[in-house]
Amino acid sequence: MTGITKRTIDYYTNLGLLKAERSTSNYRFYTSEAIERIHEIEAMKAQGMCLQDIKKSLDVEHNGNPKEDLQEICLHMQTLQSEVSTLIESMNRQEQSTKETIKNKVLPESVTLIQSLLRLIT
């Protein structure tokens, strides 16, 4: 489908340029996105780029700008902090039985996540 040998595809996978999915019988298979990525790799190679530079380029393209990602995470955490503060205020105004009902509806994993986020924010 790509015109590339299996050996080359395996090499790209081992370098981290491609990600292979695994079947139940542990055979590698590649998605249509991986096939598109192979074409991108080959086009970059045709332009004279080495595989290391291609990997860096594809990683930046895929992962975006780390500073922008960090800013987005901080903004999202601030929003969550605001929502949690609002919920806490609301719970403090409720009767004890209502508080217990609300607490019982929150999954333990969510409580752990909320506690972790609060520690990171403060």
Side-chain angles (χ1 to χ4, degrees):
M1 289 179 66
T2 62
I4 306 300
T5 65
K6 178 190 176 310
R7 183 174 179 186
T8 301
I9 291 173
D10 288 344
Y11 183 63
Y12 290 170
T13 303
N14 290 334
L15 288 176
L17 290 166
L18 291 174
K19 290 187 180 178
E21 303 291 327
R22 294 282 182 170
S23 68
T24 54
S25 55
N26 207 26
Y27 284 102
R28 290 182 189 174
F29 68 94
Y30 296 88
T31 63
S32 58
E33 289 83 16
I35 293 170
E36 289 175 23
R37 190 159 177 144
I38 289 170
H39 293 299
E40 289 178 50
I41 293 166
E42 292 302 307
M44 290 180 195
K45 277 178 54 181
Q47 294 173 358
M49 290 179 72
C50 68
L51 291 176
Q52 185 178 11
D53 290 341
I54 292 171
K55 182 170 180 1
K56 287 178 187 175
S57 176
L58 292 173
D59 286 346
V60 168
E61 182 182 302
H62 179 70
N63 296 327
N65 183 341
K67 288 182 182 180
E68 290 176 7
D69 291 343
L70 183 58
Q71 290 172 344
E72 187 177 326
I73 290 169
C74 288
L75 181 61
H76 190 64
M77 287 177 64
Q78 289 172 348
T79 303
L80 288 173
Q81 180 183 17
S82 174
E83 290 175 2
V84 167
S85 296
T86 302
L87 285 171
I88 290 172
E89 289 173 17
S90 177
M91 283 182 59
N92 288 336
R93 291 190 296 259
Q94 300 295 323
E95 294 180 16
Q96 187 61 31
S97 62
T98 306
K99 288 181 189 179
E100 292 301 319
T101 302
I102 293 170
K103 285 180 183 178
N104 290 335
K105 289 183 180 181
V106 176
L107 297 173
E109 296 86 8
S110 298
V111 172
T112 304
L113 177 62
I114 290 169
Q115 290 170 340
S116 298
L117 288 172
L118 286 172
R119 286 187 188 133
L120 285 171
I121 293 171
T122 56

